[in-house]
Amino acid sequence: MDPIVIIGSGLAGYNVARELRKLDKATPLVILTADGGQFYSKPMLSNALASNKLPEAIPTHSAEQMAAQLDATIRAHTRVTAIDAGSHQIRIGDEIIHYSKLVLAPGAEQIRLPLSGDAAAGVLSVNSLDDYARFRAAIEGRKSVAIIGAGLIGCEFANDLAATGYKVDVIDIADQPLARLLPPAGGAMLKANLAALGVTWHFGTGAQAVDNDNGRLRVTLGNRETIATDVVLSAIGLKPKLELARAAGLKINRGIVVDRHLATSAKDVFAIGDCAEVAGLVLPFVMPIMHAARALAATLAGKPTAVSYPAMPVLVKTPACPTIVAPPANGASGEWQTEQTADSVKSLFVDASGKLLGFALNGAATAERAKLAQQLPPVLN
Ligand SMILES: Cc1cc2nc3c(=O)[nH]c(=O)nc-3n(C[C@H](O)[C@H](O)[C@H](O)COP(=O)(O)OP(=O)(O)OC[C@H]3O[C@@H](n4cnc5c(N)ncnc54)[C@H](O)[C@@H]3O)c2cc1C
């Protein structure tokens, strides 16, 4: 029997494998991964400094331990180079592997800013354990980090670095942190609390150049200001990894297009995680992966199962300003209503009939998360 093959050993790939093994202990399973194949929780990367974790202490299981736990063949440091969906084959260079069913879980990649300057190539980003090890080596013994991007990942790193004594500058073309997720009052609280921790914000302007300057770096902004720093971290966002799917002729849009069964346009090929666009939604977070992994495992085990998503609030790991967001669906009509106290901001997105469609909570208001989440409509019913 040809194996089920999974490409990728991130939370998506490994969670499908774990869920599958609960239902099917017999079908041979092969996991191919470009990285070391360790199991780790990627969200930990942006609070590992304050929780005193070295990169090597972040994985909970080695590839060998995962292979034993999943009764799977795991090939680490193995990059799949092509898919031939017509003949149920994948290629690793010249090697060919046949599959019965194929799961694509190659994740996402950093969007790169077109920066000029003689140190632009040295700008770091963090979307894997290996990236994080490089970042930690770069900041070791240094004092300052400039972060490009005040989104979720940029704010989390800003909090983690500032809380552990680094001088942190954050640059964003928007005029507040988490501009796409927080209405202004919540953004103002996050901005103030991180500023109190020592973060210097540079809003309304982008980074244009990074140059070497006497052993340090100089970041030049669109408004001609310059920032002297030791390390530059880019956190401007991710885009689904599409090259394998595109070359194989699979339907792609913003992500690899899949239906509610996580099925791509090619027979017996599925996609899940940061790479996938599920029923029109690209949701690069852990909770959607957990729901999709359960549904896909059932489908792979012979019981076709459509994925549903309940409301899935996202906890932003900024302890200086606890923040939880459940954004309304794209295009939802309604308005933000905000209540504010000295230590909390509660913003509710409600429609004309008063129905709750989304929320953003900061500070003490985060205690209301469970109660409010129950009132939200499901993301995918
Ligand atoms: C710093 C940070 C903090 C985050 N915090 C949160 C949070 O608090 N809450 C939350 O919900 N989400 C958070 N996220 C998002 C969440 O971690 C991701 O949605 C999730 O980990 C994505 O998992 P994935 O398996 O789809 O992709 P990945 O983890 O990127 O895994 C992709 C896998 O595919 C492999 N691969 C890629 N191409 C190939 C190839 N050609 N051949 C073989 N293997 C290949 C890679 O080696 C890797 O093993 C965070 C993300 C980051 C970067």
Side-chain angles (χ1 to χ4, degrees):
M1 191 196 325
D2 287 332
I4 293 176
V5 172
I6 298 176
I7 302 177
S9 64
L11 290 175
Y14 271 152
N15 275 300
V16 176
R18 277 186 168 151
E19 294 297 330
L20 178 68
R21 279 296 182 241
K22 292 180 190 167
L23 306 172
D24 172 353
K25 301 207 180 333
T27 304
L29 183 59
V30 174
I31 300 174
L32 304 166
T33 180
D35 61 30
Q38 307 96 324
F39 181 82
Y40 72 102
S41 168
K42 194 186 279 189
M44 282 198 59
L45 300 182
S46 45
N47 62 3
L49 268 174
S51 47
N52 220 352
K53 285 252 183 209
L54 290 169
E56 52 273 27
I58 292 174
T60 54
H61 298 77
S62 66
E64 294 72 25
Q65 288 168 327
M66 291 306 289
Q69 185 187 99
L70 297 167
D71 189 16
T73 300
I74 297 178
R75 288 178 54 182
H77 306 296
T78 301
R79 186 171 288 279
V80 175
T81 49
I83 300 166
D84 180 350
S87 50
H88 281 56
Q89 292 177 357
I90 56 159
R91 279 180 182 274
I92 302 160
D94 291 338
E95 181 186 351
I96 290 176
I97 295 182
H98 291 262
Y99 62 80
S100 56
K101 295 198 169 61
L102 177 65
V103 177
L104 303 178
E109 59 196 336
Q110 291 287 339
I111 298 169
R112 305 289 307 180
L113 258 188
L115 292 167
S116 57
D118 62 13
V123 170
L124 298 174
S125 56
V126 174
N127 185 36
S128 69
L129 193 56
D130 291 345
D131 291 343
Y132 188 63
R134 273 190 288 277
F135 175 67
R136 284 291 287 265
I139 63 172
E140 178 70 33
R142 309 307 297 259
K143 293 194 165 54
S144 56
V145 179
I147 299 173
I148 306 173
L152 193 130
I153 291 174
C155 286
E156 291 186 352
F157 275 113
N159 196 144
D160 206 39
L161 287 157
T164 46
Y166 286 87
K167 178 185 171 306
V168 178
D169 289 271
V170 182
I171 305 144
D172 200 300
I173 49 172
D175 57 6
Q176 65 159 73
L178 289 188
R180 270 185 275 165
L181 296 169
L182 281 182
M189 182 171 173
L190 181 61
K191 180 179 166 186
N193 288 18
L194 284 179
L197 199 64
V199 172
T200 304
W201 301 103
H202 306 265
F203 285 120
T205 186
Q208 292 198 330
V210 182
D211 288 281
N212 289 298
D213 190 5
N214 286 322
R216 298 190 76 202
L217 298 172
R218 184 180 64 246
V219 184
T220 306
L221 309 184
N223 62 8
R224 308 319 298 164
E225 260 179 50
T226 58
I227 298 167
T229 191
D230 296 322
V231 174
V232 180
L233 177 69
S234 174
I236 60 162
L238 298 170
K239 56 178 184 190
K241 259 195 194 144
L242 299 174
E243 68 271 26
L244 275 178
R246 182 182 283 124
L250 270 51
K251 187 170 176 205
I252 55 176
N253 184 34
R254 279 189 304 142
I256 303 172
V257 172
V258 296
D259 63 15
R260 297 277 299 265
H261 289 85
L262 291 313
T264 69
S265 57
K267 187 170 181 319
D268 294 329
V269 182
F270 302 83
I272 182 170
D274 283 6
C275 69
E277 180 175 326
V278 184
L281 301 170
V282 177
L283 299 172
F285 298 109
V286 176
M287 284 316 289
I289 289 176
M290 307 310 274
H291 290 281
R294 256 173 259 136
L296 178 53
T299 300
L300 294 172
K303 187 172 171 239
T305 302
V307 66
S308 313
Y309 293 142
M312 297 176 289
V314 176
L315 191 148
V316 184
K317 300 184 297 297
T318 45
C321 179
T323 298
I324 297 176
V325 292
N330 270 343
S333 62
E335 58 171 20
W336 285 104
Q337 297 175 353
T338 296
E339 284 172 32
Q340 198 164 354
T341 67
D343 67 346
S344 78
V345 179
K346 175 164 94 174
S347 299
L348 306 180
F349 190 88
V350 292
D351 71 9
S353 68
K355 189 168 168 25
L356 185 68
L357 298 180
F359 62 72
L361 309 172
N362 304 91
T366 53
E368 293 189 52
R369 162 218 180 143
K371 185 186 78 185
L372 291 169
Q374 282 171 6
Q375 299 168 35
L376 287 176
V379 172
L380 201 57
N381 209 351

